[in-house]
Amino acid sequence: MKVILQQDVRGQGKKGEMIDAAEGYARNFLLPRKLAVLATPDAINTMKLKDAARRKEEAANRAAAVATADKLRGKTVKIAAKGGSGGKLFGAVTGKEISEALGAQLGVEVAKQQLVLDPIKTFGAHEVKAKLGYEVSASFSVEVTEET
């Protein structure tokens, strides 16, 4: 019996896939629990429309990630921080601070979770990588200066 999965089902498939399930399994397990619907012509058409919309949305998100990466490449963000003697900071420059500085200085919105960085605990220039999703990433420079 052909059914379209409404949720991921372990051992069967992912949400939105059309699978061929045993009739008893479909009637006694999948359909009553609303894990799947019968693969009628209307349901198949709806599945195809949803799949096309999902692909279109993914393409738009990927294009936005590429545009953001182009804006970031080769740029420098300046952050002022308090420090002590020997060029060391009190604490460290965090991803949140870098994310806010990107928004303020370059007008680019990057979530702090997307930044890949080692703790920045000294003054000077540091390379930071931003993983923007869809296998798109960009590197930029963070210059830490002493706060006056």
Side-chain angles (χ1 to χ4, degrees), residues 18-95:
M18 184 166 52
I19 64 167
D20 196 13
E23 191 167 335
Y25 181 64
R27 290 208 187 281
N28 296 322
F29 184 78
L30 295 175
L31 297 175
R33 288 179 170 80
K34 308 258 190 265
L35 297 175
V37 294
L38 286 175
T40 61
D42 286 342
I44 292 171
N45 191 31
T46 302
M47 177 188 72
K48 288 179 182 177
L49 290 173
K50 284 182 180 179
D51 190 43
R54 182 186 51 78
R55 275 192 259 117
K56 184 178 179 182
E57 183 180 346
E58 282 181 1
N61 290 343
R62 180 171 171 67
V66 169
T68 301
D70 290 341
K71 289 179 187 176
L72 285 178
R73 283 195 184 94
K75 301 290 187 198
T76 300
V77 177
K78 296 183 182 191
I79 296 177
K82 291 183 180 179
S85 62
K88 298 208 179 228
L89 297 175
F90 294 139
V93 175
T94 64

Side-chain angles (χ1 to χ4, degrees), residues 65-142:
V66 169
T68 301
D70 290 341
K71 289 179 187 176
L72 285 178
R73 283 195 184 94
K75 301 290 187 198
T76 300
V77 177
K78 296 183 182 191
I79 296 177
K82 291 183 180 179
S85 62
K88 298 208 179 228
L89 297 175
F90 294 139
V93 175
T94 64
K96 181 180 178 185
E97 293 171 324
I98 295 172
S99 177
E100 290 171 356
L102 284 171
Q105 295 175 23
L106 301 178
V108 177
E109 295 298 320
V110 177
K112 65 182 181 181
Q113 295 85 359
Q114 293 176 321
L115 299 174
V116 179
L117 67 145
D118 293 326
I120 298 174
K121 297 185 177 188
T122 58
F123 293 114
H126 302 275
E127 279 295 313
V128 176
K129 185 176 181 181
K131 289 188 176 181
L132 302 169
Y134 302 97
E135 297 179 9
V136 176
S137 61
S139 293
F140 60 95
S141 181
V142 174

